[in-house]
Amino acid sequence: MLLQAKRLSLVEPSPTLAITAKANALKAEGKDVVGFGAGEPDFDTPDHIKAAAKAAIDRGMTKYTPVTGTATLKDAIITKFERDNKLKYERKNLIVSAGGKQVIYNFFMATLNPGDEVIIPSPYWVSYPDIVKISEGIPVLVQTKAENNFQISPEQLKKAITPKTKVFIFNSPSNPTGAGYSRKDVEALCEILIKENIMILSDDIYEKIIYDGFEFYNPAMISNELKERTFIANCVSKAYSMTGWRIGYGAGHPEIIKNMDTIQGQSTSNASSISQYAAEEALKGDQACIGKMVSAFDDRRKKIVESLNKIPGVACRMPQGAFYVFPYIDGIYKTKGFEALKSKSKETSLSSLFCSHLLEKYDVAAVPGSAFGDDNAIRLSYALGQEGIDKGVARIAKMVQDLNS
């Protein structure tokens, strides 16, 4: 009896979750592992948000909610869009799901037909291609370059479009690179997307975690015409340090929301009722907690980039947002020590080989760039304390020193 569905041959387990699980297992064994893998702030959920959840429990708000979310949370989301993005939505335009990942999954399940193409700039968040594949679509990966701030150019976008193109994924600031698009950059891409009648998935999950005066724009903010063809995915996980609460939300055309409602209604139904009341407070309550967290991330960002760029063979750009760096390590691939590692291994991905050696011999967990579409780099999260960052980077430097000796 065949126990595995054929569709599973199309996808891989999440590399970031796998790395984090392995690091946690080693920690449980007593090893002093520095974990750069997880995209999870090390800050606690703010007290006023936790208090709202406790109050909801005391009020007995522990029952099923509508599949697409409570009316009061939707109203808080409406307020958020008006306040932060100058966008007007109604409840019928909104859906609440169990995390931002489910929002994106439901969107593609609701919109793609077999053979539909989705343009994905690379490096990309690890789950984009696999979600597209399991939704019977075809991911079209377009490689960007560090010297161009990891941005897809209008020329690259034009070249990637075919009669089968249905959706373009826009992610700014980006996971894994932290790169962002200015309003001018967004407008240049959107001019093409309007002309070609292509839908846009705008992944705005890191919109609040930005630095150096960077101004956030998504395609829906450019014009009403673009708003009609843009679906926005967001969540409370990153900006409010609420990863485990599992609340994401999406905004778009009512017909898409209706179809996502059908899919979610036959899978998870509503997201956690208590988490929804916590998210409501996060979105409509005091926003000062975000600034404090971003200020700490900013300090870490500057220090980790400076430290990494002192390591021979490493080149790291300064991210404009999120809490990741994406240093290029291909200079290390040329060392005699790394050549020796390759000769003893069957691993075809050089960044995976690098990360495996780093974890096994130096107790540092990082995610190989191959998981994001670029085998010449690795991703490091600086959403951990400065002490851990310093310790982890020092161990990377020691590994490189050993490879060079």
Side-chain angles (χ1 to χ4, degrees):
M1 180 171 64
L2 183 63
L3 298 179
Q4 178 174 301
K6 292 182 179 178
R7 71 178 65 89
L8 283 177
S9 65
L10 301 174
V11 300
E12 298 288 341
S14 169
T16 52
L17 296 181
I19 289 288
T20 301
K22 188 171 183 179
N24 288 337
L26 291 172
K27 287 180 182 179
E29 294 174 6
K31 292 195 174 183
D32 179 26
V33 176
V34 176
F36 284 119
E40 181 172 54
D42 60 318
F43 300 94
D44 193 14
T45 301
D47 288 340
H48 67 288
I49 298 173
K50 292 190 290 185
K54 294 172 185 175
I57 293 173
D58 291 339
R59 297 199 314 271
M61 311 303 286
T62 57
K63 309 299 183 184
Y64 291 129
T65 76
V67 171
T68 59
T70 65
T72 53
L73 176 52
K74 287 187 176 183
D75 288 344
I77 294 169
I78 288 170
T79 298
K80 179 267 175 218
F81 276 120
E82 290 180 346
R83 179 190 68 219
D84 298 342
N85 310 110
K86 305 299 185 288
L87 294 171
K88 292 186 180 296
Y89 289 105
E90 299 177 38
R91 291 178 182 172
K92 66 181 180 180
N93 297 109
L94 304 174
I95 187 169
V96 176
S97 303
K101 185 178 289 188
Q102 190 187 25
V103 173
I104 294 171
Y105 178 87
N106 287 349
F107 168 79
F108 281 120
M109 289 293 288
T111 57
L112 294 185
N113 292 307
D116 284 342
E117 294 179 353
V118 178
I119 297 175
I120 306 174
S122 177
Y124 47 75
W125 178 51
V126 293
S127 293
Y128 290 150
D130 286 325
I131 291 175
V132 169
K133 290 176 185 176
I134 208 167
S135 303
E136 299 187 87
I138 300 172
V140 177
L141 308 179
V142 180
Q143 191 66 46
T144 65
K145 296 181 179 180
E147 54 264 35
N148 295 328
N149 196 33
F150 298 106
Q151 293 183 0
I152 184 173
S153 69
E155 293 72 25
Q156 286 179 302
L157 177 58
K158 285 180 184 178
K159 188 175 180 180
I161 294 171
T162 75
K164 294 182 179 180
T165 303
K166 190 166 189 177
V167 181
F168 170 71
I169 295 182
F170 179 81
N171 179 212
S172 172
S174 158
N175 175 5
T177 66
Y181 288 76
S182 69
R183 180 181 179 118
K184 184 178 179 181
D185 296 326
V186 179
E187 288 175 338
L189 296 176
C190 287
E191 184 178 343
I192 299 166
L193 296 168
I194 288 177
K195 183 179 179 180
E196 299 294 340
N197 196 31
I198 293 169
M199 295 172 60
I200 305 163
L201 171 68
S202 184
D203 181 348
D204 295 1
I205 284 170
Y206 295 96
E207 72 163 308
K208 294 285 189 179
I209 305 174
I210 52 180
Y211 315 104
D212 300 330
F214 177 80
E215 294 186 27
F216 170 82
Y217 286 96
N218 67 28
M221 296 167 65
I222 302 300
S223 70
N224 284 331
E225 185 178 3
L226 282 161
K227 178 172 173 278
E228 286 300 306
R229 68 179 64 213
T230 299
F231 182 88
I232 298 174
N234 210 325
C235 69
V236 296
S237 297
K238 314 297 184 177
Y240 302 96
S241 196
M242 294 177 67
T243 50
W245 298 79
R246 307 313 301 135
I247 294 293
Y249 57 92
H253 194 283
E255 189 66 24
I256 294 176
I257 299 297
K258 178 183 175 183
N259 294 334
M260 292 173 69
D261 183 354
T262 299
I263 291 167
Q264 189 164 305
Q266 295 293 0
S267 54
T268 60
S269 296
N270 62 274
S272 162
S273 60
I274 300 306
S275 294
Q276 289 189 62
Y277 289 105
E280 181 183 330
E281 175 62 25
L283 292 174
K284 73 179 186 183
D286 185 4
Q287 303 295 297
C289 56
I290 299 174
K292 294 176 182 177
M293 186 167 61
V294 171
S295 177
F297 284 150
D298 189 16
D299 288 341
R300 299 174 190 179
R301 170 185 72 120
K302 293 171 182 174
K303 290 175 183 176
I304 194 172
V305 170
E306 180 182 6
S307 298
L308 287 168
N309 281 326
K310 291 179 180 178
I311 301 174
V314 176
C316 185
R317 291 180 61 85
M318 186 71 74
Q320 295 163 285
F323 40 66
Y324 309 105
V325 285
F326 199 65
Y328 275 80
I329 58 167
D330 49 318
I332 298 168
Y333 296 164
K334 303 168 186 176
T335 63
K336 289 183 179 180
F338 198 82
E339 289 287 348
L341 285 180
K342 284 194 293 182
S343 68
K344 300 174 185 177
S345 174
K346 296 181 180 179
E347 177 61 67
T348 57
S349 163
L350 298 184
S351 61
S352 293
L353 178 59
F354 180 95
C355 289
S356 294
H357 188 65
L358 183 63
L359 181 56
E360 292 169 7
K361 301 297 183 182
Y362 296 85
D363 293 330
V364 175
V367 187
S370 56
F372 307 96
D374 193 333
D375 199 32
N376 290 320
I378 58 174
R379 193 196 75 174
L380 305 174
S381 169
Y382 50 90
L384 66 156
Q386 189 63 53
E387 182 180 351
I389 293 171
D390 293 342
K391 184 188 295 184
V393 173
R395 291 178 183 178
I396 294 172
K398 180 65 168 65
M399 172 175 151
V400 173
Q401 181 183 30
D402 291 345
L403 290 172
N404 277 312
S405 62

